Amino acid sequence: MSSALLNSKDIKAQALRLGFVACGLAKAEPVADDDSARFLRWLELDYCGEMDYLRHNVDMRLHPELLVPGVRTIVSLAMNFMPESQQPAISLYAQGQDYHDVMKQRMRQLMETLQLEGRCFVDTAPILERYWAWKSGVGIITQGGFVAVPGYGPTVFLGELFLTSESDHYDNPIAPPPRGGTGKGVCPALTPEGLDARRCISYQTIEHRGPFAEEIRLRRTFYGCDRCMRATPQFAEAKPTDEPAFQPSEALLQMTPEDWQDLTEEQYRALFKGSAVKRAKYDGLKRNIERWLEAMPSSEATDSGSSQE
Ligand code: SF4
């Protein structure tokens, strides 16, 4: 552990300069009992579906010290991804470049500029990201389980720095998290125990491999789903990001249902070069498009406001 205290004001000021919209610092302690129990119950219920990686390294997820020995401070960072224009068939977060690359590059820059010691993570390590964002005051937890940053709403990516120094100041949560029921009435995948990924369109269209279950209906988007996020009251605070990397390309904006139907592998590679959409692979995307087109009455072919289910 480094003996010099972190200067929290410097870290926050530099984070804002680098394009993050919120930054908070929390002591690197084990995850609180209530939140640990909630996560363990969620796993027990099999709500993670085929995302088996969530079952691995559970101890590490609940004890940051096991992920980065000597960690003293967790810096949580948020970047606004709300695109100015949107391709309606793709979830808002995946319209531009892959956030893993954009965020990581910016976080490394932050660490280098301030000579911070530790590691940075974006969605690729066993970390309860939303918990740390909440604990460090980056945002509130909404009824749908999103982190909403004041002034920006829930359209944010999260990342964390695990630093080996103590800080001169730690932040507090803005408000207690909601308990007992998330997004009731918005979607059957949202249960009082959290999101049942097996019933979630977002999970089905991104993480699930193989054919869809009969009951899966895609209407608005064929990659991801924004319905519950759009339904949170804090979505009204979302505003277009200044980050050019999160804007869709002209080619993506111009894609029509007919174009999607005829999408070739070559077009797919060109359209989604450097995009998170590649996670679904070409075959997965074609499967999604097929189901999406099946459920789309011709009159709705260009209706970006139709519900997902
Ligand atoms: S509204 Fe969409 S993203 Fe939200 S839980 Fe339901 S299916 Fe999943």
Side-chain angles (χ1 to χ4, degrees):
M1 172 185 128
S2 164
S3 55
L5 283 182
L6 298 169
N7 183 325
S8 57
K9 280 194 182 141
D10 277 0
I11 293 177
K12 289 178 183 184
Q14 187 62 21
L16 295 186
R17 256 178 247 132
L18 287 168
F20 295 99
V21 293
C23 170
L25 289 83
K27 250 191 185 134
E29 293 169 337
V31 170
D33 289 350
D34 275 9
D35 298 271
S36 297
R38 192 172 158 78
F39 176 65
L40 294 172
R41 173 81 185 131
W42 183 79
L43 284 181
E44 214 177 273
L45 289 166
D46 266 343
Y47 280 4
C48 67
E50 293 161 54
M51 294 183 285
D52 278 334
Y53 60 88
L54 290 165
R55 297 180 192 284
H56 304 148
N57 301 315
V58 169
D59 275 358
M60 219 178 248
R61 206 174 280 276
L62 302 177
H63 296 87
E65 169 76 24
L66 298 177
L67 177 63
V68 176
V71 62
R72 292 289 177 272
T73 300
I74 296 178
V75 181
S76 188
L77 295 149
M79 199 171 253
N80 180 15
F81 65 72
M82 184 68 182
E84 180 108 47
S85 326
Q86 295 142 29
Q87 161 53 249
I90 307 271
S91 182
L92 291 172
Y93 87 90
Q95 302 266 329
Q97 293 294 295
D98 191 333
Y99 64 99
H100 296 93
D101 303 335
V102 179
M103 293 268 291
K104 228 170 188 174
Q105 187 260 339
R106 226 52 77 76
M107 288 160 76
R108 287 198 180 116
Q109 223 175 319
L110 175 60
M111 289 183 72
E112 277 164 26
T113 311
L114 298 179
Q115 299 187 317
L116 305 172
E117 284 174 29
R119 294 181 62 189
C120 62
F121 302 100
V122 182
D123 207 14
T124 47
I127 296 172
L128 287 186
E129 292 205 295
R130 295 179 185 191
Y131 170 81
W132 290 107
W134 165 76
K135 195 166 164 64
S136 62
V138 155
I140 59 162
I141 304 283
T142 70
Q143 279 293 323
F146 297 98
V147 170
V149 172
Y152 294 92
T155 56
V156 291
F157 295 127
L158 300 173
E160 302 77 32
L161 307 182
F162 275 43
L163 304 179
T164 52
S165 298
E166 304 270 0
S167 174
D168 61 355
H169 171 81
Y170 289 107
D171 297 293
N172 290 312
I174 300 169
R179 291 285 186 229
T182 53
K184 213 171 150 210
V186 174
C187 175
L190 294 169
T191 80
E193 285 84 21
L195 172 74
D196 181 352
R198 299 164 304 179
R199 303 165 78 188
C200 171
I201 297 294
S202 196
Y203 161 81
Q204 289 286 337
T205 56
I206 299 170
E207 305 287 344
H208 173 69
R209 304 286 172 252
F212 283 132
E214 190 56 38
E215 66 273 14
I216 297 297
R217 295 278 175 276
L218 309 182
R219 291 185 68 196
R220 188 175 189 275
T221 48
F222 62 69
Y223 185 89
C225 166
D226 297 323
R227 199 158 72 95
C228 54
M229 186 170 69
R230 288 177 184 273
T232 62
Q234 293 83 1
F235 187 76
E237 293 180 55
K239 56 173 113 158
T241 180
D242 295 333
E243 182 54 63
F246 298 143
Q247 307 298 344
S249 66
E250 218 26 65
L252 186 62
L253 286 174
Q254 282 170 15
M255 290 294 285
T256 64
E258 293 71 32
D259 297 331
W260 288 121
Q261 184 163 27
D262 300 334
L263 185 75
T264 65
E265 192 157 0
E266 203 182 342
Q267 285 173 314
Y268 156 83
R269 271 197 237 110
L271 263 184
F272 297 116
K273 190 166 183 275
S275 153
V277 173
K278 280 204 155 162
R279 188 171 177 88
K281 314 264 189 268
Y282 176 66
D283 290 346
L285 209 67
K286 287 294 276 185
R287 170 205 63 183
N288 295 358
I289 292 169
E290 205 174 294
R291 184 59 65 91
W292 176 69
L293 290 169
E294 273 168 26
M296 181 186 285
S298 52
S299 60
E300 285 187 23
T302 53
D303 175 7
S304 62
S306 61
S307 67
Q308 191 74 14
E309 294 163 28

